[in-house]
């Protein structure tokens, strides 16, 4: 885990966010991520993200499932324990297709979920820094990583000029660690009085 | 300024005329050499090919209107940018219905009983199974129900197209648009119910399953529907790609193409699922009166077509349409659309021929000639229908949703 410096800008409107993303990329700043409360269509393109490879992984998991099912069943029913079932041939491919299909879907689905969790570093008791608590509520939070050449105050002003309603500089750990949310980060500075 | 009016290019007209000329010539030659032949198998071949093509293409063009109606009922807006294309294809329903009706009239009242065995009164007398089915499977019920079905498709389809033209006149006020949407929903619902009662159940029993009159399958109608719906989507995609190549349909882009591709991909799998469900139960139960249907197809003279059917209609579209990139690629989509339309034509071929001709089948000049004739008819009538109306209904309340569509 390493401590890095980030400049965080918060936007409350998609119409401001999109040109701001373009401006930040044009100026050559290193965009770490944009955290949004909901999926925003076209944002991945504006940020210049490449297409995900998750579906390729899914295809490979599916193939693994198909192969496992077919090889296991053909070994069981033709080599290990051949049984006469209703006079059917031992290598009864049509009868195996439902199971092959199920195992393909199971492997593809579970494999993709686990891969997704691995890519996103999601797991029970894994803690990552939240740049802004309202990123899951109603704000689009743009995070820019500072390199050795970045002047963070200049960048902060740049974001303000691009339409950020709030911006700050954070020096935080960028990886994950084991912990719990309530101990490490207070969501609200003042306790909410009912 | 967007190009709103389709004009058939010289190349388009040349191809249409060429296909019609070749197809027409082969129809005449087929009539002389096969239809009027003394050989019963040649006669049956003539009518069986006409039956295969007329039912297949009628159900395919009808699938276009079904697509419009279900997207309307599901409150879909993404198809608005190219909705006039399926509309134009669906104008063929009355035309193809007429052609099919002529063929049915000959087949159920004519002297040839090789295709529909149940029309032979002398045979039914000592066939207890067909006798038991005769309450449903008799010429008059067949004819009346076919006419009712074709009438309902044509009538509700015409109503949907007429409603769509209203959106060409002027921009709608808020209340007007709501009223417009409500009427669209009502007519789409009427069409969908009529479609379910016909294509979803009875019509494939009559037209195709009754060729093997002793045999039955409860999956058959859905299987036929899946076959024609996926080809219908492929046909829409073909015309959309063609118009796009000719600089029409400015608002259609890869996002719409990808969604058409998703439909082709999904219903390819749906077709396979139904095909397999029908096959597996019969294979597993292994009851002679049921397996007879697959015996002639799998182990008889149709073995090659049987497996080619699975490769063309499942393996290739499944693997080639899987990635996002291929669904957004105009060339790949065109190739697969042609493949799917041809593949399901072959699927209908193996549905019709074994029961009608058995081992005396052939797949030659006449079969492909009639296919060319139907291709020419589709190009001719769809081109005409596209030229009649603006290509986009610019005042449709849901058009904007289609323009900003993101797959």
């Amino acid at each position: 885990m390493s401590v890095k410096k980030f400049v965080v800008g918060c936007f409350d409107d998609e119409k401001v966010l999109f040109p701001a993303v373009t401006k930040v990329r044009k100026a050559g700043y290193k965009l770490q991520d944009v955290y949004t409360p909901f999926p925003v269509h076209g944002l991945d393109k504006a940020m210049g993200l490449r297409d995900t490879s998750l579906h390729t992984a899914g295809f490979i998991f599916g193939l693994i499932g198909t192969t496992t099912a077919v090889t296991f069943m053909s070994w069981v029913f033709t080599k290990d324990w051949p049984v006469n079932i209703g006079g059917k041939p031992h290598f009864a491919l049509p009868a195996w297709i439902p199971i092959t299909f199920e195992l393909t879907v199971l492997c593809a689905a579970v494999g993709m979920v686990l891969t997704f969790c691995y890519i996103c570093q999601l797991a029970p008791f894994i803690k990552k820094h939240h740049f802004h608590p309202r990123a899951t509520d109603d704000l689009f939070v743009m995070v820019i990583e500072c390199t050795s050449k970045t002047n963070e105050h200049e960048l902060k002003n740049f974001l303000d000029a691009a339409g950020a309603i709030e911006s700050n500089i954070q020096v935080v750990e960028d990886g994950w660690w084991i912990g719990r949310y309530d101990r490490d980060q207070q969501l609200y500075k003042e306790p909410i009085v009912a | 300024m967007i190009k709103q009016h389709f004009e058939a290019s010289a190349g388009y007209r040349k191809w249409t005329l060429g296909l019609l000329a070749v197809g027409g010539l082969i129809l005449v030659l087929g009539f002389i050499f096969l239809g009027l032949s003394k050989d019963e198998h040649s006669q049956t071949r003539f009518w069986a090919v006409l039956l295969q093509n007329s039912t297949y293409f009628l159900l395919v063009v009808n699938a276009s209107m079904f697509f419009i109606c279900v997207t309307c009922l599901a409150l879909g807006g993404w198809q608005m940018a190219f909705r006039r294309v399926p509309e134009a294809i669906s104008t063929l329903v009355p035309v193809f219905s007429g052609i099919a009706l002529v063929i049915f009239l000959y087949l159920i009242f004519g002297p040839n009983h090789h295709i529909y065995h149940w029309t032979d009164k002398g045979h039914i007398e000592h066939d207890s199974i067909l006798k038991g089915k005769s309450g449903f499977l008799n010429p008059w019920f067949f004819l009346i129900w076919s006419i009712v079905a074709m009438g309902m498709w044509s009538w509700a389809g015409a109503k949907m197209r007429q409603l769509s033209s209203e959106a060409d006149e002027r921009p709608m006020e808020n209340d007007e648009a709501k009223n417009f949407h409500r009427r669209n929903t009502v007519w789409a619902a009427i069409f969908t119910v009529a479609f379910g009662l016909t294509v979803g159940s009875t019509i494939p029993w009559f037209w195709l399953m009754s060729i093997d009159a002793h045999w039955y399958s409860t999956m058959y109608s859905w299987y036929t529907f899946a076959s024609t719906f996926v080809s219908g989507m492929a046909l829409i995609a073909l015309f959309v790609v063609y118009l796009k190549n000719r600089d029409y349909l400015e608002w259609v882009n890869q996002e719409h193409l990808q969604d058409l591709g998703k439909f082709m991909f999904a219903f390819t799998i749906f077709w396979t699922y139904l095909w397999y469900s029908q096959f597996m139960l019969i294979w597993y139960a292994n009851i002679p009166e049921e397996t007879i249907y697959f015996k002639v197809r799998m182990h008889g003279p149709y073995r090659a077509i049987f497996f080619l059917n699975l490769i063309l209609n499942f393996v290739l579209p499944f693997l080639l349409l899987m990635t996002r990139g291929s669904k957004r690629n105009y060339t790949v989509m065109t190739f697969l659309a042609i493949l799917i339309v041809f593949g399901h034509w072959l699927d209908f071929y193996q549905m019709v021929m074994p029961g009608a001709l058995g081992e005396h089948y052939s797949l030659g000049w006449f079969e492909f000639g009639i296919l060319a004739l139907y291709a020419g008819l589709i190009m001719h009538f769809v081109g005409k229908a596209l030229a009649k109306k603006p290509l986009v209904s610019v005042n449709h309340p849901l058009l904007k949703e289609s323009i900003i569509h993101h797959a």
Side-chain angles (χ1 to χ4, degrees):
Chain A
M1 276 174 280
S2 60
V3 174
K4 282 181 182 167
K5 197 183 268 179
F6 296 96
V7 179
V8 180
C10 303
F11 298 81
D12 61 352
D13 194 346
E14 279 177 59
K15 279 179 194 150
V16 186
L17 175 72
F18 272 82
V21 168
T22 318
K23 270 183 218 161
V24 165
R25 287 187 60 206
K26 261 195 191 144
Y29 290 117
K30 192 178 172 189
L31 204 54
Q32 199 253 3
D33 212 341
V34 178
Y35 298 92
T36 60
F38 52 84
V40 181
H41 276 293
L43 187 59
D44 47 347
K45 231 174 242 161
M47 288 168 65
L49 296 179
R50 72 177 176 88
D51 281 351
T52 170
S53 306
L54 195 61
H55 36 59
T56 313
F59 183 70
I60 294 166
F61 288 129
L63 275 186
I64 292 172
T66 314
T67 327
T68 311
V70 173
T71 47
F72 181 68
M73 277 186 289
S74 41
W75 174 70
V76 168
F77 289 117
T78 63
K79 287 267 177 319
D80 186 48
W81 206 269
V83 178
N84 185 340
I85 304 169
K88 293 277 179 296
H90 289 311
F91 189 80
L93 196 60
W96 299 347
I97 287 188
I99 295 143
T100 311
F101 168 77
E102 299 291 351
L103 213 69
T104 307
V105 173
L106 183 76
C107 285
V110 173
M112 276 169 86
V113 167
L114 293 179
T115 313
F116 176 78
C117 290
Y118 174 76
I119 294 169
C120 300
Q121 299 168 345
L122 289 172
F125 309 112
I126 290 295
K127 171 83 174 82
K128 288 176 80 177
H129 176 69
H130 276 203
F131 288 95
H132 199 289
R134 275 171 70 193
T136 55
D137 183 14
D138 63 344
L139 279 189
F140 305 103
V141 178
M142 187 198 291
V143 180
I144 297 162
E145 193 184 320
C146 296
T147 60
S148 54
K149 289 174 192 160
T150 315
N151 181 336
E152 58 265 26
H153 297 287
E154 215 172 77
L155 176 52
K156 193 171 171 299
N157 292 336
F158 184 85
L159 285 182
D160 290 336
I165 55 163
E166 191 184 323
S167 60
N168 55 50
I169 300 161
Q170 298 181 21
V171 181
V172 290
E173 288 180 27
D174 70 332
W176 56 271
W177 62 92
I178 292 168
R180 277 170 56 194
Y181 291 104
D182 51 353
R183 271 197 210 149
D184 295 317
Q185 190 177 351
Q186 231 179 330
L187 284 180
Y188 298 95
K189 278 187 186 120
E190 306 291 325
I192 297 165
V193 187
Chain B
M1 189 58 207
I2 57 167
K3 276 164 85 177
Q4 274 281 47
H5 288 278
F6 173 72
E7 272 175 65
S9 65
Y12 187 92
R13 280 200 301 268
K14 209 169 69 194
W15 270 95
T16 309
L17 268 178
L19 284 168
L20 282 176
V22 170
L25 183 71
I26 282 177
L27 179 67
V28 172
L29 287 178
F31 185 67
I32 295 167
F33 290 114
L34 301 173
L36 295 176
S37 158
K38 290 220 170 61
D39 178 27
E40 282 200 331
H41 295 307
S42 298
Q43 272 185 35
T44 311
R45 178 183 171 196
F46 178 75
W47 289 103
V49 172
L50 288 185
L51 175 71
Q52 175 217 348
N53 284 281
S54 59
T55 48
Y56 174 60
F57 284 106
L58 171 55
L59 292 175
V60 167
V61 293
N62 198 29
S64 278
M65 186 41 80
F66 179 66
F67 167 72
I68 292 176
C69 289
V70 283
T71 41
C72 174
L73 287 180
L75 265 178
W78 66 277
Q79 83 285 7
M80 278 315 156
F82 65 87
R83 200 183 115 145
R84 284 282 150 88
V85 176
E87 266 178 35
I89 295 173
S90 74
T91 56
L92 272 164
V93 171
V95 182
F96 283 1
S97 292
I99 299 174
L101 208 56
V102 173
I103 294 158
F104 291 146
L105 276 174
Y106 177 82
L107 285 178
I108 56 178
F109 293 115
N112 189 326
H113 302 301
H114 286 282
I115 296 175
Y116 292 143
H117 300 281
W118 50 271
T119 54
D120 188 349
K121 288 218 178 61
H123 177 72
I124 292 179
E125 284 308 310
H126 35 84
D127 188 325
S128 59
I129 292 177
L130 289 188
K131 211 172 184 180
K133 289 186 180 180
S134 63
F136 175 79
L137 213 52
N138 62 66
W140 285 105
F141 192 39
F142 181 107
L143 185 67
I144 291 168
W145 188 241
S146 297
I147 292 174
V148 168
M150 291 163 174
M152 286 196 295
W153 304 335
S154 308
W155 173 59
K159 209 70 196 173
M160 284 300 285
R161 291 193 293 273
Q162 185 194 329
L163 270 172
S164 166
S165 297
E166 277 182 30
D168 291 336
E169 288 158 15
R170 63 201 153 73
M172 286 181 230
E173 299 293 317
N174 199 7
D175 285 338
E176 213 180 346
K178 274 185 194 161
N179 182 31
F180 175 74
H181 183 71
R182 192 181 56 78
R183 279 183 299 149
N184 257 309
T185 309
V186 168
W187 279 100
I190 289 173
F191 182 91
T192 310
V193 170
F195 189 88
L197 289 175
T198 53
V199 179
S201 57
T202 45
I203 283 299
W205 297 342
F206 271 136
W207 293 358
L208 297 165
M209 203 168 85
S210 75
I211 295 170
D212 302 274
H214 289 89
W215 178 86
Y216 69 89
S217 154
T218 46
M219 306 297 288
Y220 200 86
S221 299
W222 278 99
Y223 167 65
T224 314
F225 158 73
S227 203
T228 51
F229 187 71
V230 68
S231 331
M233 294 310 296
L235 192 63
I236 296 170
L238 270 182
F239 273 102
V240 167
V241 170
Y242 174 77
L243 289 174
K244 193 70 195 156
N245 275 343
R246 299 274 153 193
D247 279 348
Y248 298 102
L249 300 178
E250 195 183 330
W251 285 318
V252 173
N253 50 40
Q254 287 176 325
E255 313 289 340
H256 303 87
L257 193 73
Q258 191 191 352
D259 275 0
L260 279 171
K262 282 179 197 162
F263 261 101
M264 280 158 59
F265 180 67
F267 277 85
T268 289
I269 296 171
F270 183 64
W271 174 87
T272 317
Y273 163 69
L274 292 170
W275 180 92
Y276 174 71
S277 302
Q278 179 172 291
F279 173 76
M280 199 268 265
L281 291 178
I282 290 172
W283 176 86
Y284 217 116
N286 208 10
I287 303 170
E289 62 253 38
E290 287 182 351
T291 47
I292 189 160
Y293 182 81
F294 285 109
K295 193 166 177 274
V296 59
R297 285 165 176 80
M298 237 179 118
H299 300 297
Y302 295 88
R303 192 174 170 80
I305 291 173
F306 181 83
F307 288 105
L308 184 65
N309 185 18
L310 279 182
I311 294 169
L312 289 184
N313 293 333
F314 174 61
V315 179
L316 288 179
F318 177 70
L319 292 177
L320 294 177
L321 273 177
M322 198 182 275
T323 65
R324 173 185 156 95
S326 62
K327 288 192 278 270
R328 295 169 87 86
N329 183 312
Y330 286 85
T331 316
V332 175
M333 279 289 283
T334 310
F335 170 69
L336 279 161
I338 292 171
L339 186 90
I340 284 174
V341 171
F342 175 71
H344 286 281
W345 178 83
L346 203 67
D347 185 25
F348 264 61
Y349 181 83
Q350 64 86 40
M351 284 157 110
V352 172
M353 293 305 162
L357 279 169
E359 59 196 16
H360 303 282
Y361 79 102
S362 48
L363 190 56
W365 59 277
F366 185 59
E367 283 73 13
F368 290 107
I370 298 298
L371 177 62
L373 177 66
Y374 266 90
L377 283 173
I378 289 175
M379 281 179 75
H380 173 70
F381 283 102
V382 173
K384 237 171 72 178
L386 281 173
K388 222 179 240 170
K389 279 189 193 181
L391 283 173
V392 181
S393 49
V394 280
N395 299 317
H396 198 287
L398 293 173
L399 179 64
K400 196 187 169 200
E401 202 172 311
S402 187
I403 296 172
I404 59 171
H405 178 60
H406 194 280

